[in-house]
Amino acid sequence: MAPTAQAPHADTGNTRTGKINADDTDPSRKLYRVPEAMRLLSLSRSVIYNQLRSGRLRSVKEGSARLIPADAIAEYVALLEAEAEANR
């Protein structure tokens, strides 16, 4: 059986450190599916959907697909950092 090629964006997120950096995201990508956002943010599916319901993480829909804009992921990380700083 021949090996299958992976899409260039199939594995996002730095699994070694868990941090998001410039190497983790493709700058040409604007939208991520929920499983990709889960890997980028190191969060479970249920936590992602809870954050979407609460308005802390933004998303859009295209047809039946729930997509999370790249800038919404960056805003969510900034929100978490600000909350952590405020709690110090």
Side-chain angles (χ1 to χ4, degrees):
M1 188 179 284
T4 58
Q6 280 189 319
H9 61 275
D11 184 26
T12 56
N14 188 333
T15 56
R16 193 165 31 97
T17 64
K19 294 183 179 179
I20 297 173
N21 59 41
D23 297 334
D24 294 335
T25 58
D26 179 352
S28 65
R29 290 202 57 198
K30 303 293 183 204
L31 298 169
Y32 293 90
R33 294 185 178 273
V34 170
E36 296 167 323
M38 288 167 53
R39 282 190 296 276
L40 283 170
L41 295 168
S42 299
L43 297 173
S44 70
R45 175 177 154 71
S46 62
V47 170
I48 292 286
Y49 279 103
N50 284 338
Q51 296 306 299
L52 291 170
R53 273 191 293 280
S54 71
R56 290 169 52 91
L57 180 61
R58 291 185 296 108
S59 70
V60 297
K61 284 196 78 167
E62 175 59 36
S64 63
R66 173 74 53 194
L67 302 168
I68 302 173
D71 62 334
I73 292 172
E75 289 168 8
Y76 181 73
V77 170
L79 172 67
L80 293 177
E81 289 173 342
E83 289 175 350
E85 186 63 33
N87 289 330
R88 286 189 183 185

